Every structure is written in C-alpha cells, then in structure tokens.
Amino acid sequence: MLRDALAIMDLDEAQAASAQELVEELRDRHTSPEDEDFLRSAQAESLSLPAHLTEGLRELRYDDVPPAALVRGFPVDDSAIGPTPSHWRHREPGRTAAQDFWLGLLASLLGDPFCWSTLQDGRLYNDIHPIKGNELHQTGHGSTSVLEFHTEDAFHEYRCDYILLLSLRNHDRVPTTVGASRALRLSGEDRDVLFQRRFVIRPDTEHRRHMTEAEIASYERPVAVLFGDRDDPGVRVDPPYMEALPGDPEAAAALGRLCEQLQAGLVDVALEPGDVLVIDNQRCVHGRKPFRARLDGTDRWLRKLTVTRDLRKSAGQRGHPRSRVLRG
Ligand SMILES: [Fe+2]
C-alpha cells in the first residue's frame, strides 16, 4: 500500500500559498536556484515551512518513518513552465525556477545538493523526460522499456543519500516505482554473501558517454551489495549494469534472490504536478513503468536533485570547495 511505503505530507491551500510566497521572495533575492548563497541559506529559510513537513523530513533523515516520502501541494502552472523539452539541452532557462527553489528548500532539510560533471553538463537540477531515440535506454530519458529498479548512481562511492523528484507534468500518470530494503527477507547465507565484495557495478550509459576508458575500467573493482546494519541493511544495486564476479555462482544466485524480492516489493507512485518524491537512496530502490512517449511537448517531465549528507567526503573529486559538481 502507498501509505505503508511512503510518508505522505500534504500542503493545504494556505500552506501552499505561503510556500509559494517564500519561493517568490527567494527568487527576488537570488539570481537562480543554483546560487551558492541560496543553497547555503536554504536550511535556515526552510525552517519557516509547515512543521509537519520539516519534522517529517527530519524523521526520514533519522530513519523513524518509511525511507521515502511524498510531499504534495506545491503549485505548478502548466503553461508557465512551457513545453516539455525535446532534449535537456534545449530547455528554456528559468521556466522552472519556482519549482527548483522549492526542491532546493526541501533538499536542505536532508543535506547538501550536488551533481555530476558526467550528467547534463554538470547542471545541479536535472531534467527527466523522454528523448526521441532513447526509448529503450535504461536512463531517465527512456520510455517504452521499463526503467529497472536501481540505486541512483550505484557504481559510485559518493552516490547520493537522497534523490528528490519533482513532477512538473505527468498527463498519462506514468508510475514511478519505489521499493525499500527493509522489506527484504533474506537467508543468513545470502545476507553473508551480499555483504561481501563479490559484485561489480558499472557506470550507466549517461555517465559512460563522458568518461575515458581508464575511468570506466576503474569501476571494475568488486563491491558489496548490502552494507550497514546486518538486520536492516542499506542496499546498492543496479541490475542492468552489474553482475557477480566471474566464476562466483553463489554470489550470482544470492543477487538473483535479492533482485526478485526487491522487484516484488515495488510500489507504483503516479506523481501529480507539484508532487515531490523523496527517496532515501541507501534504503530504497526506484524505477519507472514503461509508457509511450508523446514527443509533442506534453510528455512526463520531472526535475531531479540529488543530495548528500556529507559534501566534504567528495572534496577530492570536486574542482574547489564551493563547487558542487563531482567528477564521475
Ligand atoms: Fe534513477
């Protein structure tokens, strides 16, 4: 059930109006939602948001509630945001600034937003929508094939702790899928195997396009799939891009059983405009059901922001301390 899988936080009309007012003030004070001064002050600003929202996200951060949440009620004006872009490079700048500021505010209650040099030219806020020719891709730009469940950027040590998806448009109610690792019922033997470095997770096609062969090869080192608390572990999976080490059928079988359980536990969430799906990327997987792309400017369109609880740990992979762009 949706309510078992997600903490649902609704803004009523008055709360939505004051959230919008706050965002408009921020738009007056900051040049853009990428502005470092905004990102650094966002947490203080967000304290004026309704308490059920700030407390709800704090509970998510401390694992007191389901590891995913749905924040509903922030307005989206369908004509103001313009058509769904045909390609993220062709988006009209500024059209989604209000929604991006809203994402930035919510993100600040969980940690620090960051992005990748290898995704969408290193932009902090990413677009998810179908692209012609990418229908079968296992990325945010596919459509007719299922986007298999995965951990976001599972290949990387510094992958995000949280992923926030804001729906701008979803006329066909295409479901995003979410599943939690705490639902896993694994044998002790499988658990042991999955906690060991017996698996390889490779970068996905979007990242690979901007990597050298040597960089891609560096991700061939074995990693574990489960980590943390043995009884309530975090999970790191991306089935289309991973496998057990060659000659290790025990690990392959344990991974197969884990994936079966994660698949069976997926819940559909059809995001409405203004909905923000907040996903704990250590304790959840996510994906998307297949759909037929319209390619006429009215397609499903989400904005994505990834958040780390500790920006400092990636210092060696960012150009300078004020940069939020990680070298993938
Ligand atoms: Fe994803």
Side-chain angles (χ1 to χ4, degrees):
M1 292 299 291
L2 197 60
R3 280 191 180 271
D4 295 334
L6 297 172
I8 296 183
M9 304 167 205
D10 287 323
L11 297 179
D12 63 25
E13 227 170 279
Q15 290 166 338
S18 27
Q20 205 173 9
E21 225 168 89
L22 172 59
V23 161
E24 290 309 316
E25 276 173 37
L26 293 169
R27 290 182 72 176
D28 287 343
R29 269 189 274 146
H30 299 283
T31 50
S32 83
E34 290 87 13
D35 180 8
E36 183 65 21
D37 290 335
F38 162 62
L39 296 168
R40 292 188 181 198
S41 61
Q43 192 180 33
E45 300 288 354
S46 67
L47 294 179
S48 67
L49 296 177
H52 73 286
L53 195 55
T54 53
E55 280 164 23
L57 291 178
R58 190 178 307 132
E59 284 172 1
L60 189 144
R61 196 171 188 280
Y62 287 100
D63 302 334
D64 292 341
V65 289
L70 188 57
V71 179
R72 303 191 292 200
F74 191 79
V76 174
D77 178 338
D78 192 70
S79 57
I81 60 173
T84 304
S86 56
H87 193 285
W88 54 264
R89 278 204 184 90
H90 306 148
R91 72 186 312 273
E92 298 177 51
R95 287 271 204 167
T96 63
Q99 288 74 29
D100 292 348
F101 272 109
W102 180 238
L103 265 183
L105 282 170
L106 298 181
S108 73
L109 294 164
L110 296 163
D112 272 306
F114 73 99
C115 56
W116 301 93
S117 63
T118 41
L119 293 181
Q120 301 193 12
D121 287 348
R123 296 174 191 183
L124 189 61
Y125 300 81
N126 279 200
D127 288 300
I128 294 177
H129 54 69
I131 292 180
K132 194 170 166 38
N134 289 10
E135 288 81 356
L136 302 177
H137 286 200
Q138 282 295 314
T139 70
H141 304 303
S143 50
T144 48
S145 59
V146 173
L147 177 59
E148 304 288 348
F149 68 80
H150 60 280
T151 302
E152 194 73 356
D153 305 315
F155 70 100
H156 206 285
E157 186 185 354
Y158 300 143
R159 63 196 176 280
C160 61
D161 292 308
Y162 304 98
I163 170 167
L164 280 71
L165 300 173
L166 183 149
S167 170
L168 293 167
R169 178 174 288 136
N170 190 13
H171 293 319
D172 298 322
R173 297 183 54 80
V174 178
T176 302
T177 53
V178 189
S181 59
R182 66 177 184 172
L184 293 170
R185 299 286 174 267
L186 294 164
S187 69
E189 293 77 17
D190 280 354
R191 211 168 280 262
D192 287 344
V193 170
L194 293 164
F195 262 91
Q196 294 164 11
R197 294 173 182 267
R198 293 164 72 168
F199 308 88
V200 171
I201 307 179
R202 303 186 173 95
D204 66 47
T205 46
E206 288 290 298
H207 284 285
R208 290 168 81 96
R209 200 172 294 156
H210 303 281
M211 288 177 170
T212 63
E213 285 305 314
E215 283 168 340
I216 294 169
S218 71
Y219 295 104
E220 291 294 320
R221 67 191 185 289
V223 298
V225 165
L226 299 182
F227 56 91
D229 182 353
R230 188 183 148 84
D231 295 325
D232 185 15
V235 68
R236 177 182 188 180
V237 283
D238 195 352
Y241 296 102
M242 75 183 293
E243 59 190 352
L245 291 175
D248 191 347
E250 191 183 34
L255 178 63
R257 286 188 283 272
L258 172 92
C259 289
E260 269 171 36
Q261 289 195 22
L262 287 171
Q263 179 69 40
L266 293 178
V267 171
D268 288 353
V269 190
L271 296 171
E272 301 285 348
D275 287 359
V276 180
L277 182 59
V278 182
I279 301 166
D280 183 330
N281 194 46
Q282 290 199 6
R283 303 164 67 80
C284 286
V285 292
H286 66 280
R288 191 212 64 239
K289 289 280 178 70
F291 65 105
R292 183 183 294 274
R294 299 170 172 224
L295 304 175
D296 62 355
T298 64
D299 266 311
R300 174 182 184 262
W301 183 15
L302 313 180
R303 292 285 276 167
K304 177 182 94 169
L305 188 57
T306 49
V307 175
T308 176
R309 290 166 67 126
D310 183 3
L311 190 60
R312 189 166 53 181
K313 68 188 174 189
S314 63
Q317 288 191 240
R318 291 180 284 120
H320 56 87
R322 284 180 78 87
S323 169
R324 290 172 184 259
V325 185
L326 260 72
R327 177 73 205 151

